Amino acid sequence: MIEVRNLTKNYGARRAIDSLDFSVNKGEVVGFLGPNGAGKSTTMKIITGFMAPTSGKALVAGYDVFENPLEVKRRIGYLPEHPPVYGDMFVKEYLEFVANLKGVEKSKISNLVKKAIEKTNLGQVQTRLIQNLSKGFRQRVGIAQALVSDPEVLILDEPTVGLDPKQVAEIRDLIKELRGHHTLILSTHILPEVEATCERIIIINQGKIVAQESLSNISSVNKGSRQITFKVRREIDALITRLSLMDGVLKCFKGNSPGSVVAEISGQDDMVELLAKEVIMSGAGLLEMQSMAQLEDVFIKLTYGSVEQ
Amino acid sequence: MLRGFFTIAKKDLRAFFFSPVFYIVAFLCSMMLSWVFPIQLAQFSEAAKNMMFQQGMPQQQLNIHYGLFLRQLSYLNLMLILIVPALTMRLISEEKKMHTFDLLLTSPVTSVQIVLGKFVAALGAVFGIVLIAYLYCAWTGFFAHFSWPLLNVAFLGLFLVGAVYAAMDLFCSALTESALGSFVMAVILNISIWFVGIGAEVSDSQTLREFFEHVSLNGHLSAFVEGTVRTSALVFLASVMGLFVFLAERVVEANRWR
């Protein structure tokens, strides 16, 4: 559905993205991950036809973004970093305007507007002026705006920024609901969001793709190792020595907070079980045991070099 | 194809007529005209009454069209120089600042449609202001006899000048993200177009003089004021509008290539 070939963009002397190559299949939900300033938004702006690349090309539904921009734009719903809403318009009126702008058939507009309002839970504010809405509601109007033309491709740039936890959960459910109907690219630096919603991730750092994996394969990027953090009552040093001697423990060191120990292990759940048993038998008084989310681990390793110690 | 244009024109027209700015401007305009017009009217009627004693007065001044309406037109022109920038300053700069430009540029509309839509909306607002000034003159029709076509053509001329301002000011709005910056640029551009014609007074060569006479807004406007619609004037005004709308379109398009 989306194909990006050798895409490069320079802002003056600074290279924002550097020969990106990836493709997204129809109906897939792809997470676009990267630290701030990695080039996520730039890539999205190029795919949506907002700006031109310095070199390389992007295809959406078989149309080149720069040879057939109108065909591409008809098929894309885009939520930019800042929701593109007019303060002096009413929510419903704004959505009708966007539907018209996107060239939706006249007869379908009222139905699609109603659906978008329903999906984003804007029913209670649909007759209010956008400038009087809170940030969370504006963000949701922005999402509704991307949905209203029922596009084949949805590109959401940090859709949950500024929302409260309940709204974040709602948006995640919405994204899950959209899966299958739309091809979706989700840019974010919030990892649990990606874990909750995406099937595949693309990690980008300093303008380059550093990993492209399905979420279930992500541990392979990490070469099978994972980190477990313990919190214990006493005898930390003895515990560290004891754990370091175990087979399968690659490294064991003191964590940041008092009483915490971090063990880097290879292998899967069996190893975690063994480790837990060992800690309990050591008599150090286990209070807490936590496996660092794999994605977070991978992300930090790939983008910041190594895990903070 | 036309739908994008209409959608944008409708949205911006609505934004003009739903925003307090237009009404404040219209109110202040009518306040000024309400102060000046009756005074001018009284002066004119005084002069007309004492026609016998006004030997030295040019004949034209005793015609209501020149003695009263022309003054109204020149006040309106002065106001338009400042009002049109105030109305159009936000047209594109605000879209950039509020990031709604992202929506327009990622929608299936061309930059020509965006700029033309906005230009037509601005014409609507200019028309509203010109209409207010026109009403004062039209109202004298209750107790004075004058040539209506002459009045209409003169106001058409000023509306077209207002349209030229709108095109230039739209271009200024496209250049910057700051509404204030766009306003200042637009006012300067509006004023400066009146000074182009001065070139005719200082140039020695015949062709150069003719050139300056042709590009002088003043010359073309006075033809309208005299009640003549010249093709050359229409072509000239339309080409100035076309030029600045085209430049604005180029600026919008250039945003993609930064």
Side-chain angles (χ1 to χ4, degrees):
Chain A
M1 199 67 185
I2 300 173
E3 270 192 60
V4 170
R5 294 277 158 264
N6 218 4
L7 207 64
T8 302
K9 174 79 188 176
N10 296 338
Y11 291 116
R14 198 173 72 80
R15 180 156 285 194
I17 54 172
D18 191 0
S19 28
L20 293 191
D21 263 302
F22 64 85
S23 58
V24 179
N25 301 324
K26 200 174 159 90
E28 224 179 354
V29 181
V30 172
F32 210 58
L33 276 174
N36 292 325
K40 300 186 297 274
S41 294
T42 304
T43 313
M44 300 202 151
K45 281 179 181 169
I46 292 173
I47 297 173
T48 53
F50 180 78
M51 57 160 91
T54 307
S55 66
K57 64 178 181 177
L59 299 168
V60 175
Y63 294 100
D64 189 297
V65 170
F66 279 86
E67 276 156 30
N68 269 312
L70 298 188
E71 289 300 325
V72 169
K73 288 171 183 177
R74 241 186 281 280
R75 288 169 172 77
I76 284 187
Y78 173 47
L79 171 71
E81 259 174 305
H82 308 270
V85 294
Y86 294 96
D88 61 350
M89 278 181 144
F90 299 100
V91 171
K92 199 175 167 200
E93 183 192 16
Y94 168 72
L95 293 176
E96 281 163 358
F97 163 71
V98 175
N100 268 310
L101 199 64
K102 298 265 175 186
V104 174
E105 265 178 63
K106 286 248 153 93
S107 56
K108 288 184 182 165
I109 289 179
S110 75
N111 202 9
L112 283 175
V113 167
K114 208 191 280 174
K115 253 193 213 161
I117 288 175
E118 251 167 50
K119 277 182 182 166
T120 47
N121 272 331
L122 286 167
Q124 48 173 334
V125 297
Q126 57 177 314
T127 52
R128 283 175 57 183
L129 275 181
I130 296 176
Q131 64 191 6
N132 297 337
L133 297 182
S134 67
K135 192 167 184 233
F137 270 118
R138 276 187 212 194
Q139 183 71 17
R140 284 203 265 172
V141 174
I143 296 172
Q145 162 275 129
L147 290 175
V148 77
S149 57
D150 196 25
E152 291 169 52
V153 178
L154 262 173
I155 295 185
L156 308 178
D157 200 346
E158 308 197 350
T160 55
V161 166
L163 301 183
D164 67 38
K166 183 170 170 282
Q167 292 168 337
V168 170
E170 280 170 12
I171 295 303
R172 275 183 203 165
D173 288 343
L174 174 64
I175 291 170
K176 278 181 202 159
E177 204 181 293
L178 296 172
R179 185 186 291 170
H181 305 286
H182 307 265
T183 305
L184 228 146
I185 298 187
L186 195 72
S187 131
T188 179
H189 50 247
I190 303 165
L191 299 167
E193 194 165 294
V194 175
E195 279 184 320
T197 52
C198 300
E199 292 155 354
R200 198 154 68 87
I201 59 158
I202 295 170
I203 299 180
I204 172 171
N205 186 37
Q206 292 175 350
K208 289 193 171 126
I209 290 180
V210 287
Q212 241 194 105
E213 281 296 334
S214 72
L215 206 54
S216 49
N217 282 343
I218 198 67
S219 58
S220 68
V221 176
N222 211 2
K223 299 182 194 82
S225 80
R226 63 202 277 190
Q227 278 196 349
I228 312 280
T229 310
F230 303 97
K231 200 159 189 180
V232 293
R233 269 214 156 121
R234 49 193 171 261
E235 293 169 40
I236 294 177
D237 296 326
L239 181 67
I240 289 175
T241 336
R242 188 167 173 164
L243 292 183
S244 304
L245 292 174
M246 276 179 77
D247 277 341
V249 174
L250 305 171
K251 238 198 289 183
C252 190
F253 48 89
K254 266 188 198 172
N256 288 331
S257 54
S260 79
V261 174
V262 181
E264 205 175 308
I265 59 167
S266 64
Q268 293 303 315
D269 293 352
D270 294 352
M271 188 61 217
V272 181
E273 196 183 332
L274 275 175
L275 197 67
K277 207 184 266 174
E278 191 72 22
V279 177
I280 289 167
M281 292 204 337
S282 75
L286 181 64
L287 297 172
E288 221 179 279
M289 179 172 168
Q290 207 175 36
S291 167
M292 191 179 189
Q294 294 210 349
L295 182 58
E296 192 177 338
D297 195 12
V298 170
F299 178 74
I300 292 174
K301 273 189 185 155
L302 289 175
T303 55
Y304 294 98
S306 66
V307 179
E308 265 180 81
Q309 292 191 3
Chain B
M1 199 50 193
L2 276 172
R3 189 155 162 218
F5 159 75
F6 280 121
T7 306
I8 289 170
K10 204 174 117 192
K11 184 221 102 195
D12 278 307
L13 256 182
R14 182 206 160 280
F16 274 127
F17 291 107
F18 273 68
S19 84
V21 177
F22 178 82
Y23 292 98
I24 292 170
V25 165
F27 167 71
L28 293 175
C29 257
S30 57
M31 218 170 68
M32 279 190 279
L33 292 177
S34 301
W35 169 240
V36 172
F37 189 77
I39 294 177
Q40 299 282 350
L41 184 62
Q43 274 179 353
F44 174 75
S45 69
E46 199 64 27
K49 244 193 302 188
N50 304 324
M51 201 156 72
M52 297 300 186
F53 312 108
Q54 308 276 339
Q55 297 296 341
M57 206 175 196
Q59 202 64 44
Q60 264 196 346
Q61 289 302 311
L62 296 172
N63 180 333
I64 192 168
H65 187 70
Y66 292 98
L68 183 63
F69 298 162
L70 187 56
R71 291 184 187 182
Q72 176 84 345
L73 282 173
S74 57
Y75 297 137
L76 178 61
N77 181 32
L78 188 65
M79 285 194 276
L80 285 182
I81 286 179
L82 298 167
I83 286 170
V84 178
L87 292 174
T88 58
M89 65 184 182
R90 290 166 65 228
L91 269 179
I92 298 180
S93 61
E94 189 86 346
E95 301 255 10
K96 284 187 187 170
K97 200 170 162 192
M98 302 306 288
H99 302 284
T100 44
F101 214 43
D102 302 25
L103 172 66
L104 296 184
L105 289 190
T106 57
S107 294
V109 288
T110 59
S111 40
V112 178
Q113 289 171 333
I114 296 175
V115 172
L116 276 181
K118 287 183 174 292
F119 178 58
V120 166
L123 289 188
V126 172
F127 183 77
I129 300 290
V130 172
L131 188 67
I132 289 173
Y134 177 80
L135 288 178
Y136 286 83
C137 299
W139 169 75
T140 46
F142 282 114
F143 48 81
H145 291 288
F146 52 83
S147 159
W148 283 90
L150 196 59
L151 177 68
N152 294 343
V153 168
F155 267 91
L156 170 71
L158 204 71
F159 171 69
L160 289 176
V161 170
V164 168
Y165 294 154
M168 293 194 300
D169 302 353
L170 182 66
F171 166 66
C172 292
S173 180
L175 287 179
T176 165
E177 266 186 37
S178 134
L180 185 67
S182 138
F183 178 80
V184 172
M185 266 194 281
V187 170
I188 292 174
L189 205 59
N190 289 355
I191 293 175
S192 58
I193 195 164
W194 289 97
F195 295 127
V196 177
I198 283 183
E201 290 169 24
V202 293
S203 48
D204 294 326
S205 106
Q206 175 71 19
T207 24
L208 207 59
R209 199 157 49 237
E210 273 171 8
F211 168 76
F212 278 121
E213 267 161 18
H214 183 67
V215 299
S216 144
L217 207 53
N218 218 351
H220 292 293
L221 183 62
S222 48
F224 278 103
V225 167
E226 281 157 16
T228 47
V229 182
R230 283 196 215 139
T231 323
S232 71
L234 289 180
V235 168
F236 171 73
L237 293 173
S239 16
V240 178
M241 283 178 232
L243 171 69
F244 281 98
V245 168
F246 169 74
L247 288 177
E249 187 272 332
R250 287 288 90 191
V251 176
V252 168
E253 187 64 23
N255 277 298
R256 292 180 210 265
W257 302 95
R258 293 261 167 78

